[in-house]
Amino acid sequence: MRQTWRWFGPKDLCSIDDITQVGAVGVVSALHHVPNGVVWTKGEIAKRYQEIATRKDGSASGLTWDVVESLPVSEDIKKQKGDWREHIANYKISMRNLAESGMEVICYNFMPVLDWTRTDLRWEVPNGGSCMRFDINDFAAFDIHILTRPGAAADYTNAIADEAERRFSNLSEHEKKQLGRNVTMGLPGSTESMSLQDVQAHLDEYGNITRDQLREHFVHFLEEVVPEAEKLGLRLCCHPDDPPFALLGLPRIMSTEEDYKYILDAVDSPANGMTLCSGSLGARPDNDLPGMMERFGRKVHFLHLRNVKRDNDDIVGSFFEAEHLGGDTDMVALIAAIVREERRRKSEGRKDAIIPMRPDHGQDILDDLGRRAQPGYPTIGRMKGLAELRGVMTALEHQSVNF
């Protein structure tokens, strides 16, 4: 695997100089300052390449921009409303500009309204560190009592709704505001953080769009952009839903193995692929991560290796971001499946035999605790995770026998 590191640009507290010291050889980045639906110009793309290639003192970093994460799919495209046709046209132009720059891998997602959702961004773990957590009871308290979404209570079991009411009644005004900010934070580095009014407006815009309709919109988007990606030599890879189940009354369509099979079969092309995120998919007990790598391996273009610990085996349940080798996903078995896939690709002579990987998320530990970096993206916590993953990778890659 090619070891990469996510970087949110010049304002990221983890600098390019830091990345050169953690052992990564490539960078995963995006133009977060460009609004969704707007063209990524050649000039802005070239600027990001230069920023990644340069240390603070002006010397060469030796790092390359290996993966775009993400080239956002606008809400208009997902809903097929407003300027969605123009946004698809702009998406194709951005793809062409990226391909001309030398980029080959573009990660994106098709989650409605919120790109990821957590209820606590700094949840304390027993060793004194902190991590992100999704608590279904706290989320229900937000949904039913803070957002006051019409009909929200019917989307939860009686036990969850009752516990949500109890928790809400014990929250101070500050805690209610904090919970609201946590849930609506969305993607780190995004220009589109949302107020409660923004969220409700988006929900109203989605209206009665069903799961099947959202799938149709996704397939239509892929039918437009995948042929262009194939001509340009790009590999598109969809990130799974995070968490991998429906929220806020909205359908989610990239949460399970069946979801991926449907989309990959609907537009069958080497350019239509998967970002296998072991943390997002691992939040569901019915997702078999090593098995999914075995079955979808030919179309896995990008890897997010992280782990979560579930509170129980409920499909819709609570979880926290665990240490990379300490959660519910068997990371050794998953990496073994990845190594087997890379060996198979090498035997076939594929130019993409080495799959880019980044250590996704991490717990805030040591000096991370005082830095207040992007939630989920501490420097030391991710470096620890990368070191652990690198150890497993190195051991498995040097074995000459099948495992």
Side-chain angles (χ1 to χ4, degrees):
M1 281 169 273
R2 183 168 175 84
Q3 298 169 37
T4 67
W5 192 267
R6 191 169 192 181
W7 188 59
F8 292 102
K11 294 182 180 180
D12 196 324
L13 292 180
C14 182
S15 68
I16 291 298
D17 290 45
D18 294 335
I19 298 173
T20 63
Q21 295 176 33
V22 304
V25 296
V27 168
V28 174
S29 192
L31 306 183
H32 296 295
H33 57 286
V34 178
N36 294 354
V38 175
V39 169
W40 287 17
T41 65
K42 294 179 181 179
E44 287 294 326
I45 293 168
K47 182 180 178 182
R48 179 52 50 89
Y49 270 103
Q50 187 59 35
E51 290 165 345
I52 290 169
T54 309
R55 297 176 187 261
K56 291 178 182 177
D57 64 3
S59 63
S61 70
L63 297 170
T64 53
W65 187 6
D66 290 1
V67 179
V68 166
E69 185 182 355
S70 297
L71 182 58
V73 180
S74 73
E75 294 300 316
D76 281 359
I77 292 175
K78 296 169 191 172
K79 294 178 292 191
Q80 288 198 355
K81 292 183 178 181
D83 296 327
W84 68 278
R85 291 184 177 85
E86 178 186 351
H87 288 182
I88 288 179
N90 288 347
Y91 205 95
K92 293 179 182 178
I93 296 170
S94 296
M95 286 168 46
R96 288 198 290 273
N97 291 344
L98 285 164
E100 289 180 16
S101 77
M103 186 62 63
E104 295 182 357
V105 181
I106 297 176
C107 173
Y108 69 98
N109 74 71
F110 215 81
M111 284 179 269
V113 182
L114 296 172
D115 283 353
W116 56 260
T117 308
R118 298 293 186 271
T119 54
D120 197 328
L121 306 182
R122 314 242 179 226
W123 189 70
E124 186 171 339
V125 294
N127 67 10
S130 67
C131 68
M132 296 200 297
R133 173 173 170 79
F134 177 86
D135 189 299
I136 187 62
N137 299 291
D138 288 341
F139 184 82
F142 163 80
D143 191 10
I144 300 169
H145 300 290
I146 297 176
L147 183 63
T148 61
R149 178 174 63 90
D155 288 345
Y156 304 94
T157 65
N158 290 337
I160 291 174
D162 290 345
E163 176 63 14
E165 184 174 8
R166 187 192 69 79
R167 293 191 185 189
F168 176 76
S169 66
N170 289 325
L171 292 177
S172 67
E173 288 304 313
H174 171 75
E175 289 170 331
K176 292 173 186 176
K177 291 179 181 178
Q178 186 61 56
L179 178 58
R181 284 193 293 267
N182 291 348
V183 171
T184 60
M185 186 165 183
L187 180 68
S190 173
T191 59
E192 298 190 1
S193 58
M194 298 184 208
S195 67
L196 295 180
Q197 292 75 21
D198 293 331
V199 173
Q200 188 58 59
H202 275 296
L203 297 180
D204 293 341
E205 277 288 311
Y206 272 87
N208 295 319
I209 292 178
T210 66
R211 189 171 188 274
D212 286 344
Q213 286 174 311
L214 188 61
R215 261 187 171 180
E216 289 176 8
H217 295 176
F218 189 10
V219 171
H220 183 268
F221 168 72
L222 292 174
E223 288 172 341
E224 289 282 339
V225 301
V226 168
E228 183 73 10
E230 194 167 345
K231 286 190 295 184
L232 294 168
L234 291 169
R235 298 188 295 280
L236 303 178
C237 42
C238 185
H239 188 283
D241 301 327
D242 186 8
F245 40 77
L247 297 174
L248 300 176
L250 294 169
R252 285 194 160 185
I253 57 173
M254 296 303 288
S255 296
T256 66
E257 179 168 342
E258 187 276 332
D259 290 337
Y260 269 98
K261 186 177 188 310
Y262 182 92
I263 290 300
L264 295 176
D265 287 349
V267 183
D268 187 9
S269 164
N272 181 26
M274 175 184 193
T275 296
L276 191 150
C277 178
S278 56
S280 296
L281 292 167
R284 282 181 70 119
D286 56 346
N287 280 332
D288 167 21
L289 272 299
M292 291 175 77
M293 185 65 214
E294 293 283 358
R295 291 182 283 277
F296 294 117
R298 293 175 181 273
K299 290 191 175 182
V300 172
H301 300 322
F302 186 32
L303 297 157
H304 288 181
L305 297 186
R306 65 179 173 92
N307 224 326
V308 300
K309 186 68 177 175
R310 301 184 298 269
D311 286 13
N312 52 50
D313 282 339
D314 292 345
I315 297 297
V316 179
S318 305
F319 60 88
F320 67 91
E321 307 273 4
E323 294 177 311
H324 286 74
L325 302 184
D328 288 315
T329 292
D330 185 340
M331 196 63 71
V332 175
L334 174 57
I335 294 175
I338 296 166
V339 172
R340 285 194 295 271
E341 172 60 20
E342 289 188 326
R343 288 179 179 176
R344 188 193 59 75
R345 293 184 184 192
K346 288 176 185 177
S347 71
E348 294 180 352
R350 280 178 57 164
K351 70 177 278 192
D352 63 339
I354 305 301
I355 306 172
M357 172 278 288
R358 68 174 177 86
D360 196 13
H361 296 186
Q363 296 187 347
D364 291 74
I365 57 174
L366 305 175
D367 289 355
D368 289 332
L369 293 167
R371 296 184 78 186
R372 309 296 287 184
Q374 300 273 18
Y377 290 91
T379 300
I380 300 172
R382 281 186 293 165
M383 181 174 66
K384 176 176 179 282
L386 179 58
E388 293 173 341
L389 297 170
R390 185 184 293 132
V392 176
M393 290 161 47
T394 303
L396 295 176
E397 287 168 352
H398 281 74
Q399 288 190 9
S400 60
V401 296
N402 290 327
F403 37 79

